[in-house]
Amino acid sequence: MGLTHSRGALPGLPARLAACGLAVEWQPLVTTEPRDEAALVGEASRLIGCDWLVFPGRSAVDAWYGHALPALRAGPFASEAVDRLGRPRAEGGAALAVIGAGTAAALRDRGRPADLVGGGDALSTARALVAATRRGERVGLVQGALARPTLRAELE
């Protein structure tokens, strides 16, 4: 059985297919690769000072914690503001919002629980986030340049 989604997109499906006697092979149609260091730091630096960071998927979590945050910490923006982005909300860090349970699991795997878990789609997540934020709070969306514009449009 060939699967064309990313490995984390449909938890449990490979095991269910294997239980039916099917061999599972992945051939994702889309891959996520980090941008060059300068572009990555430039994009990520715009999130410094945000009260909320929104992750629309597992790849955004992986890109943030695996590439963007380390690049910010090592680059010219290394400061208390950058360190704050890596801390839990209870310790003065940014609050984290995710679209659904899979992305929340990816955050937990990185040692951070989500402060807000949406209903699995852009519209419900945007509505929940608007209800949870206070006047004047800044919200940063962690997503790639080729991501669907749905969540951004809903948040705006």
Side-chain angles (χ1 to χ4, degrees):
M1 170 63 67
L3 300 176
T4 59
H5 61 279
S6 63
R7 287 189 183 266
L10 299 172
L13 178 61
R16 290 193 304 270
L17 293 172
C20 294
L22 298 170
V24 177
E25 292 187 29
W26 267 284
Q27 184 61 48
L29 297 178
V30 177
T31 60
T32 303
E33 296 182 17
R35 301 177 77 182
D36 68 75
E37 189 85 10
L40 178 66
V41 169
E43 290 291 323
S45 68
R46 293 191 298 186
L47 300 175
I48 294 173
C50 286
D51 301 293
W52 286 83
L53 295 179
V54 183
F55 297 89
R58 292 172 190 255
S59 60
V61 172
D62 291 342
W64 178 255
Y65 285 96
H67 303 287
L69 193 56
L72 284 172
R73 285 182 172 148
F77 296 98
S79 68
E80 173 63 24
V82 172
D83 289 340
R84 183 186 149 277
L85 291 175
R87 289 196 304 262
R89 187 176 192 185
E91 296 173 17
L96 306 181
V98 297
I99 266 200
T103 310
L107 270 179
R108 276 193 311 275
D109 290 347
R110 296 286 186 163
R112 284 288 309 270
D115 298 290
L116 181 145
V117 179
D121 63 279
L123 182 58
S124 69
T125 303
R127 287 180 177 166
L129 187 59
V130 167
T133 56
R134 296 180 296 239
R135 179 180 289 285
E137 286 186 316
R138 291 184 57 212
V139 175
L141 181 57
V142 180
Q143 71 177 19
L146 300 177
R148 289 185 216 140
T150 311
L151 184 57
R152 179 179 297 280
E154 291 297 331
L155 288 172
E156 288 175 347

